[in-house]
């Protein structure tokens, strides 16, 4: 049913907007490292939120080791299996400010 799908899509978009807002608020309060994690495997809640946040100043991606399962740069996706329902993790480091040379 199209109406049910449209309602679900709208609820998912609202949730992703809330998650981005919470991520930005957390970033404003953290000192050095920032981690975003969900127990979802949906792109709307994960990669799309991360892409919107990546445009924000002040943080740079903090890559995972490529040897880790599901690692892709600074994100990691764990697909559902018999031990869990799936997770998504992204992480950043605060950009270092360049120090001025003293004369």
């Amino acid at each position: 049913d199209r109406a049910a799908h449209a309602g679900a899509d709208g609820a998912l978009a609202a949730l992703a907007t809330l998650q981005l807002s919470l991520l930005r608020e957390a970033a404003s309060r953290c000192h050095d490292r920032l981690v975003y994690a969900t127990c979802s495997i949906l792109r709307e809640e994960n990669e799309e939120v991360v892409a919107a946040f990546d445009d924000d100043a002040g943080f740079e991606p903090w890559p995972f080791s490529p040897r880790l399962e599901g690692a892709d740069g600074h994100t990691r996706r764990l697909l559902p299996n018999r031990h869990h329902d799936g997770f998504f993790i992204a992480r950043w480091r605060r950009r270092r400010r360049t120090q001025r040379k003293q004369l």
Side-chain angles (χ1 to χ4, degrees):
D1 179 53
R2 275 188 220 173
H5 286 293
D9 289 345
L12 186 57
L15 183 58
T17 299
L18 173 62
Q19 287 168 310
L20 179 57
S21 175
L22 293 170
L23 180 57
R24 287 178 173 151
E25 178 64 23
S28 74
R29 297 170 183 259
C30 86
H31 295 284
D32 189 38
R33 289 175 167 71
L34 179 65
V35 175
Y36 173 71
T38 69
C39 53
S40 168
I41 58 170
L42 299 176
R43 289 191 57 78
E44 295 86 350
E45 291 183 275
N46 298 321
E47 287 89 353
E48 291 179 17
V49 170
V50 166
F53 182 79
D54 279 347
D55 291 337
D56 290 351
F59 286 87
E60 63 186 7
W62 179 23
F64 287 99
S65 168
R67 295 181 307 211
L68 288 174
E69 173 191 353
D72 182 18
H74 72 298
T75 65
R76 186 173 180 206
R77 174 189 302 278
L78 299 173
L79 296 175
N81 63 35
R82 64 186 181 108
H83 301 292
H84 57 76
D85 294 332
F87 294 95
F88 178 86
I89 307 157
R91 64 187 196 169
W92 299 265
R93 294 183 280 229
R94 187 168 294 281
R95 284 194 175 97
R96 291 189 175 26
R97 293 187 177 133
T98 56
Q99 295 188 7
R100 292 183 180 177
K101 292 181 182 180
Q102 293 183 350
L103 299 176

